[in-house]
Amino acid sequence: MPLAYGQKSSTYRIESLPSSHLLKVLGFREGTQFTVQSKQPFKGPIVVKIGNRSIAIDYDVASEILVEEVGHH
Amino acid sequence: MSHGIAASQKNPSNGKIKILLMGNPNVGKSVVFSKLTGVHVDSSNYAGTTVDYTVGDINFGNKQGIMIDVPGTYSLEATSEAEKVAVALLEENADVIICVLDATHLERNLDLAYQLKEYPIPIVYSLNLMDVAGRQGIKIDVDKLSEELGSPVVPTISIKNIGLRELMEVAIESSKKQVEPGPKLEDQERWDKIREIANKVQSQVDREITFIQKLENWTVQPWPGIPIALLVLIASLGVVVGGGKALRAVILLPLVRQVIMPFLSKLISFIVPAGVFRNVLVGEFGILVIGIEWPFALILPYVFLFYAVFSFLEDSGYLPRIGVLADGILRRIGIQGGNIIPMMLGYGCAVPAILGTRAANSNKERIMVATLVSFAVPCASQSGAFFALLGDRSIFSLIFVYALSILAMLAVGVILNKMITGRSQPLLLEVPNLLLPDKDAFKKKLKLRMKHFLVDAEGPMLIGIVIAAVIAETGILNEISKAIGPFVQGWLGLPKEASLSLLLGIIRRELAVLPLLEMNLNTLQLTVGSVVALFYLPCLSVFAVLTKEFSLKVALLIGLITTASAFLFGGIINHIGSFIIGFMG
Ligand SMILES: Nc1nc2c(ncn2[C@@H]2O[C@H](COP(=O)(O)OP(=O)(O)O)[C@@H](O)[C@H]2O)c(=O)[nH]1
């Protein structure tokens, strides 16, 4: 499932992602786990939490990141 | 200081030490830098790039030298301009690297920390933000970390000046060492290693979630983030407008009008005989009258308060959050949310706003932001003039002018997005911690910004005022007014003296407004005059920056579009307004 469809407060693991230097150095790699912290209206960015860092990802980029749900709270 | 000077000091044999200060973005590097360096701080552009870096002098014990504040980067793969500059500075060699780590995000920071080991330069790590880590319940075993990294690690709280002395001592000590470059690891290998280190040295004890952490979460949620953002903007506006008005009315105007001016007029009337020359100095449009009252009493308080508020928000880590919230809407007009920061800076001055678009954006976005800012964002000086002109006489016109500016920006944004080809860069950013700004760093920044304003703006403004005085008092204005008067009177409905506004507005944006102060205009005329001034030519400095950053063609085009729209909108509002008034009266 693309990350863009992720639900707030759900936890996901990355299955595949576009090759982007910035994504990589921000800590997005295959297998990385994170929680969706917020979603913005009008196809705004998805904010995710990796560990205790918040990272905002453009909606289109989030559409290209494929994730698998691993939990919800 | 130029790139050449920094480069020429790479030979340490002169006894001076050269320190590279490195780290990820937002780790407190600028605070460490401003506390460790002296007064001779200078920023310069790295040749061939759009990246600036700062060099400062150090004087520690009996050791002298320089410290270079290398642009913050996440890695050293030279894929972005900032990384290229960081690598180039590393390759110029140095005596020691101080690498600042964010203790609250250790694992991410270790990537750069580890890559630095591939260079044959001694490293000292500053484990910064220890207070925030403590509040969040993060514990780090400093000795173990130092053992894993193979270099000294000094815990610091830079804004409280804790640990910085020791950091310098250790750095100077380390600079004497010879080090072998470490092995070059593959990405995956390095990441595995880093994860291992982080797991070994770091532990998390449960803490109650602090208010700041709650606020950090709220400010990236549409609810209550958007209402919070609006509150912050309204409060900022209140401080700038209300505070500026108070400063002006209570302190500056009385000071200028009742103390300084009477004194000067008396003085001048002793020295200079009555006549044209005395009028040029202290007449109605006299250089001394206007040259003191306009810039210092009407403009300066607003500019100062604007930069104080903006620098505070900038240093607190709040602005990127507004960028995140606004991204959805801004993308509709083809620019990403992060651009809201240079656009907000444009309410201070368009020059730094246009320069501020440099690093992160695509060319399309740069031109769009530059055009929008030049077109419809009133700078702090011009806002000061609007408040002086409209604030007391017609709040309605004041609100109308600002509402129109936002509508015009949206409309022009939509059109430009269609016209200019290319793509905007997607938003991808780490949202920084919310932190109370450091007093020293804040003061240094505000001082630098006010210095730029006084140097860049007051000069042209005084020149403009001199021209105004000369042409007003010598009768040249009458000639010009005769020539463009019919247009000004007929189409815009303004008195023919308003030609002076159009003339001076070429030099500075507020000078398109201020002459209207003296003309006894009615509400409609005030509104028309303000709208024309709002969209009219960007000032000379902006024109120069546009030419430098893009091309003369772009600058001329922007000038043409803005001026044409100014007259178009001004005329339309005049005619509709007159029609309505005629209809009702
Ligand atoms: N509480 C706390 N705040 C800090 C510390 N060091 C820096 N800051 C704050 O962190 C923010 C980012 O610092 P800055 O120097 O601008 O980061 P840079 O991007 O690395 O230059 C600022 O608001 C600083 O005031 C620290 O040790 N403790």
Short mmCIF file of all heavy atoms in Angstrom, two decimals, chain A residues 6-56:
data_model
loop_
_atom_site.label_atom_id
_atom_site.label_comp_id
_atom_site.label_asym_id
_atom_site.label_seq_id
_atom_site.Cartn_x
_atom_site.Cartn_y
_atom_site.Cartn_z
N GLY A 6 -1.78 5.97 4.19
CA GLY A 6 -1.59 5.59 5.59
C GLY A 6 -2.57 6.30 6.51
O GLY A 6 -3.05 7.38 6.22
N GLN A 7 -2.85 5.66 7.64
CA GLN A 7 -3.78 6.23 8.63
C GLN A 7 -2.98 6.86 9.76
O GLN A 7 -1.97 6.30 10.19
CB GLN A 7 -4.63 5.11 9.24
CG GLN A 7 -5.55 4.43 8.27
CD GLN A 7 -6.69 5.34 7.87
OE1 GLN A 7 -7.24 6.04 8.71
NE2 GLN A 7 -7.02 5.34 6.58
N LYS A 8 -3.48 7.94 10.28
CA LYS A 8 -2.86 8.56 11.43
C LYS A 8 -2.77 7.55 12.59
O LYS A 8 -3.70 6.78 12.81
CB LYS A 8 -3.70 9.77 11.86
CG LYS A 8 -3.04 10.57 12.94
CD LYS A 8 -3.85 11.79 13.29
CE LYS A 8 -3.52 12.19 14.73
NZ LYS A 8 -4.26 13.34 15.17
N SER A 9 -1.64 7.56 13.28
CA SER A 9 -1.39 6.70 14.45
C SER A 9 -1.12 5.24 14.11
O SER A 9 -0.93 4.43 15.01
CB SER A 9 -2.53 6.75 15.47
OG SER A 9 -2.71 8.04 15.92
N SER A 10 -1.14 4.87 12.83
CA SER A 10 -0.79 3.50 12.48
C SER A 10 0.71 3.41 12.25
O SER A 10 1.35 4.39 11.88
CB SER A 10 -1.51 3.06 11.22
OG SER A 10 -2.88 2.93 11.49
N THR A 11 1.23 2.19 12.46
CA THR A 11 2.66 1.97 12.26
C THR A 11 2.88 1.14 10.99
O THR A 11 2.12 0.21 10.71
CB THR A 11 3.25 1.24 13.47
OG1 THR A 11 2.96 2.01 14.64
CG2 THR A 11 4.76 1.10 13.36
N TYR A 12 3.88 1.51 10.23
CA TYR A 12 4.14 0.85 8.96
C TYR A 12 5.60 0.48 8.83
O TYR A 12 6.47 1.05 9.48
CB TYR A 12 3.78 1.79 7.80
CG TYR A 12 2.33 2.17 7.80
CD1 TYR A 12 1.91 3.33 8.45
CD2 TYR A 12 1.38 1.38 7.16
CE1 TYR A 12 0.57 3.69 8.47
CE2 TYR A 12 0.03 1.73 7.18
CZ TYR A 12 -0.37 2.89 7.84
OH TYR A 12 -1.68 3.23 7.86
N ARG A 13 5.87 -0.50 7.94
CA ARG A 13 7.24 -0.83 7.60
C ARG A 13 7.41 -0.62 6.10
O ARG A 13 6.53 -0.96 5.31
CB ARG A 13 7.54 -2.29 7.96
CG ARG A 13 9.00 -2.64 7.70
CD ARG A 13 9.31 -4.12 7.86
NE ARG A 13 8.94 -4.66 9.16
CZ ARG A 13 8.03 -5.63 9.31
NH1 ARG A 13 7.43 -6.16 8.27
NH2 ARG A 13 7.74 -6.10 10.52
N ILE A 14 8.56 -0.04 5.70
CA ILE A 14 8.77 0.26 4.28
C ILE A 14 9.12 -1.01 3.51
O ILE A 14 10.01 -1.76 3.90
CB ILE A 14 9.90 1.30 4.10
CG1 ILE A 14 9.50 2.61 4.75
CG2 ILE A 14 10.22 1.50 2.63
CD1 ILE A 14 10.49 3.73 4.57
N GLU A 15 8.38 -1.24 2.41
CA GLU A 15 8.68 -2.39 1.55
C GLU A 15 9.56 -1.97 0.38
O GLU A 15 10.48 -2.65 0.01
CB GLU A 15 7.38 -3.01 1.03
CG GLU A 15 6.61 -3.71 2.13
CD GLU A 15 5.37 -4.39 1.58
OE1 GLU A 15 4.71 -3.80 0.70
OE2 GLU A 15 5.08 -5.51 2.03
N SER A 16 9.19 -0.84 -0.23
CA SER A 16 10.05 -0.35 -1.30
C SER A 16 9.88 1.16 -1.40
O SER A 16 8.85 1.70 -0.99
CB SER A 16 9.68 -1.01 -2.62
OG SER A 16 8.46 -0.46 -3.08
N LEU A 17 10.91 1.82 -1.93
CA LEU A 17 10.84 3.28 -2.01
C LEU A 17 11.66 3.77 -3.19
O LEU A 17 12.56 3.05 -3.65
CB LEU A 17 11.31 3.91 -0.70
CG LEU A 17 12.79 3.90 -0.31
CD1 LEU A 17 12.99 4.75 0.92
CD2 LEU A 17 13.31 2.50 -0.05
N PRO A 18 11.31 4.95 -3.72
CA PRO A 18 12.08 5.47 -4.85
C PRO A 18 13.51 5.77 -4.39
O PRO A 18 13.72 6.07 -3.22
CB PRO A 18 11.35 6.75 -5.23
CG PRO A 18 10.55 7.12 -4.05
CD PRO A 18 10.25 5.86 -3.31
N SER A 19 14.46 5.70 -5.31
CA SER A 19 15.82 5.98 -4.88
C SER A 19 15.99 7.49 -4.83
O SER A 19 15.87 8.18 -5.84
CB SER A 19 16.82 5.35 -5.84
OG SER A 19 17.07 6.20 -6.91
N SER A 20 16.18 8.01 -3.64
CA SER A 20 16.37 9.45 -3.47
C SER A 20 17.37 9.63 -2.35
O SER A 20 17.25 9.03 -1.28
CB SER A 20 15.04 10.12 -3.11
OG SER A 20 15.23 11.13 -2.14
N HIS A 21 18.38 10.43 -2.64
CA HIS A 21 19.43 10.64 -1.66
C HIS A 21 18.87 11.19 -0.36
O HIS A 21 19.18 10.72 0.73
CB HIS A 21 20.47 11.59 -2.24
CG HIS A 21 21.56 11.94 -1.28
ND1 HIS A 21 22.44 11.00 -0.80
CD2 HIS A 21 21.88 13.11 -0.69
CE1 HIS A 21 23.27 11.59 0.04
NE2 HIS A 21 22.96 12.85 0.12
N LEU A 22 18.00 12.20 -0.49
CA LEU A 22 17.50 12.85 0.71
C LEU A 22 16.67 11.88 1.56
O LEU A 22 16.78 11.86 2.78
CB LEU A 22 16.69 14.08 0.32
CG LEU A 22 16.34 15.03 1.47
CD1 LEU A 22 17.56 15.41 2.28
CD2 LEU A 22 15.66 16.28 0.96
N LEU A 23 15.83 11.08 0.89
CA LEU A 23 15.05 10.09 1.65
C LEU A 23 15.99 9.18 2.43
O LEU A 23 15.76 8.87 3.60
CB LEU A 23 14.23 9.22 0.68
CG LEU A 23 12.85 9.72 0.26
CD1 LEU A 23 12.23 8.75 -0.73
CD2 LEU A 23 11.96 9.88 1.48
N LYS A 24 17.05 8.77 1.76
CA LYS A 24 17.99 7.83 2.37
C LYS A 24 18.64 8.44 3.61
O LYS A 24 18.66 7.83 4.67
CB LYS A 24 19.06 7.48 1.33
CG LYS A 24 19.56 6.07 1.42
CD LYS A 24 20.37 5.68 0.17
CE LYS A 24 21.59 6.57 0.02
NZ LYS A 24 22.45 6.19 -1.12
N VAL A 25 19.16 9.67 3.46
CA VAL A 25 19.86 10.24 4.61
C VAL A 25 18.90 10.64 5.73
O VAL A 25 19.29 10.75 6.88
CB VAL A 25 20.76 11.44 4.26
CG1 VAL A 25 21.84 11.03 3.29
CG2 VAL A 25 19.96 12.59 3.70
N LEU A 26 17.63 10.84 5.39
CA LEU A 26 16.66 11.13 6.45
C LEU A 26 16.25 9.86 7.17
O LEU A 26 15.50 9.89 8.13
CB LEU A 26 15.43 11.83 5.87
CG LEU A 26 15.63 13.30 5.52
CD1 LEU A 26 14.43 13.85 4.78
CD2 LEU A 26 15.89 14.14 6.77
N GLY A 27 16.74 8.73 6.70
CA GLY A 27 16.51 7.48 7.43
C GLY A 27 15.46 6.57 6.81
O GLY A 27 15.06 5.59 7.42
N PHE A 28 14.99 6.89 5.60
CA PHE A 28 14.02 6.02 4.94
C PHE A 28 14.73 4.95 4.15
O PHE A 28 15.37 5.25 3.14
CB PHE A 28 13.11 6.83 4.01
CG PHE A 28 12.19 7.73 4.75
CD1 PHE A 28 12.58 9.02 5.07
CD2 PHE A 28 10.94 7.29 5.14
CE1 PHE A 28 11.74 9.85 5.77
CE2 PHE A 28 10.09 8.12 5.83
CZ PHE A 28 10.50 9.41 6.16
N ARG A 29 14.66 3.74 4.63
CA ARG A 29 15.29 2.62 3.94
C ARG A 29 14.31 1.46 3.96
O ARG A 29 13.35 1.47 4.74
CB ARG A 29 16.57 2.22 4.66
CG ARG A 29 17.63 3.31 4.58
CD ARG A 29 18.53 3.34 5.79
NE ARG A 29 19.16 4.66 5.90
CZ ARG A 29 19.84 5.05 6.96
NH1 ARG A 29 19.99 4.27 8.00
NH2 ARG A 29 20.37 6.25 6.99
N GLU A 30 14.57 0.45 3.17
CA GLU A 30 13.71 -0.72 3.22
C GLU A 30 13.74 -1.29 4.62
O GLU A 30 14.81 -1.46 5.20
CB GLU A 30 14.18 -1.76 2.20
CG GLU A 30 13.51 -1.56 0.85
CD GLU A 30 14.18 -2.32 -0.26
OE1 GLU A 30 14.60 -3.47 0.00
OE2 GLU A 30 14.28 -1.78 -1.37
N GLY A 31 12.57 -1.58 5.17
CA GLY A 31 12.52 -2.16 6.50
C GLY A 31 12.36 -1.14 7.62
O GLY A 31 12.05 -1.50 8.74
N THR A 32 12.58 0.16 7.32
CA THR A 32 12.41 1.18 8.35
C THR A 32 10.96 1.20 8.85
O THR A 32 10.02 1.12 8.06
CB THR A 32 12.74 2.58 7.79
OG1 THR A 32 14.05 2.57 7.26
CG2 THR A 32 12.64 3.65 8.87
N GLN A 33 10.80 1.30 10.16
CA GLN A 33 9.45 1.37 10.72
C GLN A 33 9.16 2.77 11.22
O GLN A 33 10.04 3.44 11.76
CB GLN A 33 9.34 0.41 11.90
CG GLN A 33 9.07 -1.00 11.48
CD GLN A 33 8.47 -1.81 12.62
OE1 GLN A 33 7.91 -1.27 13.55
NE2 GLN A 33 8.60 -3.13 12.51
N PHE A 34 7.92 3.21 11.03
CA PHE A 34 7.56 4.53 11.53
C PHE A 34 6.06 4.60 11.77
O PHE A 34 5.31 3.72 11.35
CB PHE A 34 7.97 5.61 10.53
CG PHE A 34 7.42 5.39 9.16
CD1 PHE A 34 6.10 5.70 8.88
CD2 PHE A 34 8.22 4.86 8.16
CE1 PHE A 34 5.59 5.48 7.62
CE2 PHE A 34 7.71 4.65 6.90
CZ PHE A 34 6.39 4.96 6.62
N THR A 35 5.66 5.66 12.47
CA THR A 35 4.24 5.87 12.75
C THR A 35 3.79 7.13 12.02
O THR A 35 4.55 8.10 11.95
CB THR A 35 4.03 6.07 14.26
OG1 THR A 35 4.63 4.95 14.92
CG2 THR A 35 2.57 6.14 14.62
N VAL A 36 2.59 7.11 11.46
CA VAL A 36 2.08 8.33 10.83
C VAL A 36 1.61 9.27 11.92
O VAL A 36 0.77 8.94 12.74
CB VAL A 36 0.93 8.00 9.86
CG1 VAL A 36 0.28 9.30 9.36
CG2 VAL A 36 1.44 7.19 8.68
N GLN A 37 2.20 10.47 11.95
CA GLN A 37 1.89 11.43 13.00
C GLN A 37 0.72 12.33 12.59
O GLN A 37 -0.14 12.65 13.40
CB GLN A 37 3.13 12.27 13.31
CG GLN A 37 2.95 13.20 14.51
CD GLN A 37 4.22 13.97 14.81
OE1 GLN A 37 5.20 13.93 14.06
NE2 GLN A 37 4.23 14.69 15.91
N SER A 38 0.73 12.78 11.33
CA SER A 38 -0.42 13.57 10.88
C SER A 38 -0.51 13.55 9.37
O SER A 38 0.46 13.24 8.68
CB SER A 38 -0.30 15.02 11.36
OG SER A 38 0.63 15.73 10.57
N LYS A 39 -1.71 13.86 8.88
CA LYS A 39 -1.91 14.04 7.45
C LYS A 39 -2.51 15.42 7.26
O LYS A 39 -3.20 15.93 8.15
CB LYS A 39 -2.88 12.97 6.93
CG LYS A 39 -2.33 11.57 7.07
CD LYS A 39 -3.30 10.54 6.49
CE LYS A 39 -3.29 10.61 4.97
NZ LYS A 39 -4.04 9.45 4.40
N GLN A 40 -2.20 16.05 6.14
CA GLN A 40 -2.66 17.42 5.92
C GLN A 40 -3.74 17.47 4.85
O GLN A 40 -3.76 16.64 3.96
CB GLN A 40 -1.47 18.30 5.49
CG GLN A 40 -0.25 18.18 6.35
CD GLN A 40 -0.50 18.63 7.76
OE1 GLN A 40 -1.30 19.53 8.00
NE2 GLN A 40 0.15 18.00 8.72
N PRO A 41 -4.62 18.46 4.95
CA PRO A 41 -5.68 18.60 3.94
C PRO A 41 -5.10 18.99 2.57
O PRO A 41 -3.94 19.40 2.48
CB PRO A 41 -6.56 19.72 4.50
CG PRO A 41 -5.69 20.47 5.44
CD PRO A 41 -4.72 19.48 6.00
N PHE A 42 -5.90 18.87 1.55
CA PHE A 42 -5.52 19.22 0.17
C PHE A 42 -4.27 18.48 -0.28
O PHE A 42 -3.39 19.06 -0.90
CB PHE A 42 -5.25 20.72 0.01
CG PHE A 42 -6.40 21.59 0.43
CD1 PHE A 42 -6.28 22.44 1.51
CD2 PHE A 42 -7.60 21.54 -0.25
CE1 PHE A 42 -7.33 23.24 1.91
CE2 PHE A 42 -8.65 22.34 0.13
CZ PHE A 42 -8.52 23.19 1.22
N LYS A 43 -4.18 17.20 0.03
CA LYS A 43 -3.01 16.42 -0.37
C LYS A 43 -1.72 17.10 0.06
O LYS A 43 -0.76 17.18 -0.69
CB LYS A 43 -3.00 16.20 -1.89
CG LYS A 43 -4.21 15.40 -2.34
CD LYS A 43 -3.97 14.78 -3.69
CE LYS A 43 -5.15 13.86 -4.01
NZ LYS A 43 -5.11 13.36 -5.37
N GLY A 44 -1.72 17.60 1.25
CA GLY A 44 -0.50 18.15 1.84
C GLY A 44 0.37 17.00 2.29
O GLY A 44 0.04 15.83 2.10
N PRO A 45 1.51 17.33 2.89
CA PRO A 45 2.47 16.29 3.26
C PRO A 45 1.96 15.35 4.36
O PRO A 45 1.08 15.71 5.14
CB PRO A 45 3.67 17.09 3.75
CG PRO A 45 3.14 18.44 4.08
CD PRO A 45 1.95 18.67 3.22
N ILE A 46 2.53 14.16 4.40
CA ILE A 46 2.31 13.21 5.48
C ILE A 46 3.46 13.42 6.46
O ILE A 46 4.62 13.42 6.05
CB ILE A 46 2.41 11.75 4.98
CG1 ILE A 46 1.78 11.58 3.60
CG2 ILE A 46 1.89 10.77 6.00
CD1 ILE A 46 0.31 11.58 3.58
N VAL A 47 3.15 13.59 7.73
CA VAL A 47 4.22 13.71 8.72
C VAL A 47 4.35 12.37 9.44
O VAL A 47 3.38 11.85 9.96
CB VAL A 47 3.94 14.83 9.74
CG1 VAL A 47 5.09 14.97 10.72
CG2 VAL A 47 3.70 16.14 9.03
N VAL A 48 5.56 11.80 9.42
CA VAL A 48 5.74 10.51 10.08
C VAL A 48 6.78 10.65 11.18
O VAL A 48 7.61 11.56 11.16
CB VAL A 48 6.20 9.41 9.09
CG1 VAL A 48 5.24 9.33 7.93
CG2 VAL A 48 7.62 9.63 8.62
N LYS A 49 6.70 9.74 12.12
CA LYS A 49 7.64 9.75 13.23
C LYS A 49 8.53 8.53 13.14
O LYS A 49 8.05 7.40 13.22
CB LYS A 49 6.87 9.76 14.54
CG LYS A 49 7.37 10.85 15.42
CD LYS A 49 6.60 11.11 16.64
CE LYS A 49 7.63 11.75 17.55
NZ LYS A 49 7.30 13.00 18.06
N ILE A 50 9.84 8.75 12.93
CA ILE A 50 10.79 7.65 13.00
C ILE A 50 11.53 7.83 14.31
O ILE A 50 12.22 8.83 14.48
CB ILE A 50 11.82 7.69 11.86
CG1 ILE A 50 11.12 7.70 10.51
CG2 ILE A 50 12.78 6.52 11.96
CD1 ILE A 50 12.07 7.61 9.33
N GLY A 51 11.40 6.89 15.23
CA GLY A 51 11.98 7.11 16.55
C GLY A 51 11.34 8.35 17.14
O GLY A 51 10.12 8.46 17.19
N ASN A 52 12.13 9.36 17.52
CA ASN A 52 11.52 10.58 18.04
C ASN A 52 11.68 11.76 17.08
O ASN A 52 11.61 12.90 17.46
CB ASN A 52 12.10 10.92 19.42
CG ASN A 52 13.60 11.04 19.36
OD1 ASN A 52 14.20 10.84 18.29
ND2 ASN A 52 14.23 11.40 20.46
N ARG A 53 11.91 11.45 15.79
CA ARG A 53 12.04 12.53 14.81
C ARG A 53 10.78 12.62 13.96
O ARG A 53 10.25 11.60 13.53
CB ARG A 53 13.21 12.26 13.87
CG ARG A 53 14.54 12.16 14.57
CD ARG A 53 15.64 12.01 13.56
NE ARG A 53 15.60 10.75 12.84
CZ ARG A 53 15.78 10.64 11.53
NH1 ARG A 53 15.99 11.70 10.79
NH2 ARG A 53 15.75 9.46 10.96
N SER A 54 10.33 13.84 13.69
CA SER A 54 9.19 14.05 12.80
C SER A 54 9.70 14.44 11.44
O SER A 54 10.50 15.36 11.32
CB SER A 54 8.30 15.17 13.31
OG SER A 54 7.75 14.81 14.55
N ILE A 55 9.22 13.75 10.40
CA ILE A 55 9.65 14.08 9.06
C ILE A 55 8.44 14.26 8.17
O ILE A 55 7.52 13.45 8.19
CB ILE A 55 10.58 12.99 8.51
CG1 ILE A 55 11.85 12.95 9.37
CG2 ILE A 55 10.94 13.25 7.06
CD1 ILE A 55 12.62 11.69 9.24
N ALA A 56 8.41 15.38 7.44
CA ALA A 56 7.29 15.67 6.55
C ALA A 56 7.64 15.22 5.14
O ALA A 56 8.72 15.54 4.64
CB ALA A 56 6.97 17.16 6.57
#
